[in-house]
């Protein structure tokens, strides 16, 4: 990308809440919280709820007393995806290059934008119904910083080098996308607290301190676009499915049921991306704030559900032995060492995948009748979860995003 | 279960608001928010909005002063199906609600909830909210084992 081009960043204001307000007008101007997968935690909050001290991730039993008149809404990722893609469509209509960064954020080439950011903002509000904040500048890092600063429902276009310098003078370094807690601490130790100070530091020093990613930010803050707009997501290095299992559990059957559910979701994703898995990792978190992780390497990459399940079962048994009595809170299955289907090195000592026809039947049935219509009987202990259709679609099921 | 429902004031005809003195139940959750009427079980005279016979009514919620009627404010769906309410000749009704209140949590209700209508010895209508075992999500959200029977999308 040439450095004289402009990059825009569109960031939806409290996206999930705004999405709910599109279809339920009565939720406007009131404190609203969207609850996550288990109905326990606030995953999105309106500005009215935020003003009452409710934070993202807060359990409902803490949030409701803080704001007794708040209205809580059950999440609906299918609906959020509908609006997200609508938003993507509007941005694609004004820009030749758009990066679908996350469900509520997009980067776009703003060089040929024929209207001011405010007009685009109004158009999005009219066509999608979602309020957004827009930042436009010489790099994506600057654009994102600008849209963040102007939230909610603000626009910021700064392209002049001197004005950019004035702008970053006031911005704390921890506001940068990619600068987390540890990086912030490192920078603070060296007296670097603002984005401007970051740009004044020696580039090689920043690279040594924060690797090549830190150096990229250094260039970006100078107004040099070194991180391109990705119009297609990069190939997956790993694919994971899992997360919270609701109430912490020591029940082996229930834990195995969750593992099978995750395996079924994982195989769907492997099928969609036409990749095989070389190594399966199981990650567990347990109540005493510990983490556990083990993996199984396959003799040759596989996309066979039974092999995947066999490996997951082995890991499940090892976990039961090693974590006896620990209440598990999260289970994640991660497919690593991915390779494209047809490009794998086949093993001489492995039989062909025998149950492919069953897997195909399962896939065809579920495509026709709905996700999980046909599923492993091992998941029966989770009938309560499967009875709730909203459980069947998560934010990670929204494809093509570049963020995760 | 259910401790209250709220309905946008726009959905309630003025005459009903006047007739039942619902003005005192008008609430706003924010300065620019739309007004709503809250029908709470803890009110001295609990009432509920009810759709019956193509018309919106406001009727007594639970037994009121009628000691011969079931004492609670809800009707267990299982007991209804088992015929334990048949002596009252219950009729199904719909309770419109934008939001439902339970155990200190207001949550959105798309379509409202189901109820039953029974008449006391004087022929006065009483409404009970129909309940069912809570879904996993609902249990976590409200910490209750029972939830209303929802019209439209459940929770």
């Amino acid at each position: 990308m040439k450095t004289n081009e402009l990059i825009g960043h569109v960031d939806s204001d409290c996206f999930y809440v705004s999405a709910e307000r599109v279809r339920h007008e009565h939720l406007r101007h009131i404190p609203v919280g969207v609850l996550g997968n288990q109905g326990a935690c606030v995953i999105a909050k309106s500005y009215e709820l935020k003003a009452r001290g409710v934070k993202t991730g807060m359990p409902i039993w803490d949030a409701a007393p803080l704001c007794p008149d708040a209205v809580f809404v059950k999440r609906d990722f299918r609906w959020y995806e509908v609006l997200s893609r609508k938003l993507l469509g509007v941005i694609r209509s004004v820009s030749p290059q758009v990066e679908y960064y996350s469900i509520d954020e997009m980067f776009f080439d703003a060089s040929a934008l024929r209207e001011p950011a405010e007009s685009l903002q109004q158009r999005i509000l009219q066509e999608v119904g979602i309020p957004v904040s827009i930042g436009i500048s010489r790099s994506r890092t600057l654009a994102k910083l600008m849209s963040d600063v102007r939230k909610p429902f603000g626009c910021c276009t700064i392209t002049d080098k001197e004005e950019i310098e004035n702008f970053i003078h006031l911005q704390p370094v921890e506001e940068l996308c990619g600068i987390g807690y540890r990086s912030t601490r490192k920078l603070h130790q060296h007296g670097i607290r603002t984005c401007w100070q970051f740009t004044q530091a020696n580039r090689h020093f920043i690279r040594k301190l924060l690797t090549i990613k830190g150096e990229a930010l250094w260039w970006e803050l100078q107004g040099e676009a070194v991180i391109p707009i990705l119009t297609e997501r990069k190939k997956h290095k790993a694919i994971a499915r899992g997360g919270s299992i609701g109430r912490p559990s020591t029940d082996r059957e229930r834990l195995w049921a969750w593992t099978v559910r995750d395996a079924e979701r994982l195989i769907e994703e492997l099928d969609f991306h036409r990749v095989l898995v070389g190594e399966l990792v199981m990650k567990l978190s347990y109540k005493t704030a510990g983490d556990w992780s083990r993996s199984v390497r396959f003799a040759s990459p596989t996309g066979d559900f039974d092999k995947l399940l066999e490996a997951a079962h082995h890991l499940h048994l090892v976990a039961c032995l090693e974590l006896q009595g620990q209440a598990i809170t999260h289970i994640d299955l991660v497919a690593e060492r991915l390779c494209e289907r047809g490009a794998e090195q086949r093993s001489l000592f492995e039989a062909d995948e025998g149950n492919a026809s069953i897997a195909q039947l399962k896939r065809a049935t579920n495509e026709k009748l709905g996700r999980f219509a046909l599923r492993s009987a091992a998941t029966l202990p989770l009938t309560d979860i499967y009875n709730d259709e909203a459980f069947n679609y998560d934010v990670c099921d929204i494809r093509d995003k570049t963020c995760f | 279960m259910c401790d209250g429902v709220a309905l946008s004031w726009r959905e309630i005809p003025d005459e009903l608001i006047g007739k039942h003195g619902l003005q005192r139940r008008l609430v706003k959750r924010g300065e620019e928010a739309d007004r709503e009427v809250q029908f709470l079980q803890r009110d001295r005279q609990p009432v509920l909005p009810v759709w019956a016979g193509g018309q919106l009514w406001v009727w007594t919620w639970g037994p009121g002063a009628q000691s011969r009627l079931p004492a609670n404010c809800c009707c267990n769906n299982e007991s209804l199906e088992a015929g334990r309410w048949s002596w009252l000749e219950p009729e199904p009704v719909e309770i419109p609600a934008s939001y439902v209140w339970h155990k200190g949590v207001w949550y959105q209700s798309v379509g409202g909830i189901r109820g039953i209508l029974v008449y006391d010895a004087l022929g006065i209508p009483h409404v009970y909210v129909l309940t069912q075992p809570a879904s996993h999500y609902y249990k976590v959200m409200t910490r209750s084992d029972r939830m209303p029977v929802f019209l439209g999308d459940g929770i």
Side-chain angles (χ1 to χ4, degrees), chain A residues 24 26-27 29-31 35-40 60-61 68-72 74 384-385, chain B residues 29-34 98-99 101 104-108 110 136-137 140-141 143 154-155:
Chain A
H24 303 297
H26 55 249
L27 292 172
H29 311 298
I30 70 169
L35 297 175
N37 278 354
Q38 307 285 346
I60 187 168
W61 44 90
D69 56 344
V71 171
F72 293 94
K74 186 181 181 180
D384 51 345
I385 300 298
Chain B
R29 289 174 200 260
E31 253 178 69
E32 293 176 75
D34 212 3
S98 312
Y99 316 122
W101 193 45
V105 173
W106 281 103
Y107 58 88
Q108 181 169 240
V110 181
H136 169 80
Y137 199 93
V140 175
M141 183 175 79
R143 297 179 167 183
I155 286 184

Side-chain angles (χ1 to χ4, degrees), chain B residues 132-149:
Chain B
Q132 61 185 338
S135 67
H136 169 80
Y137 199 93
Y138 194 94
K139 263 184 212 172
V140 175
M141 183 175 79
T142 62
R143 297 179 167 183
S144 168
D145 288 335
R146 296 197 68 80
M147 66 181 185
V149 177

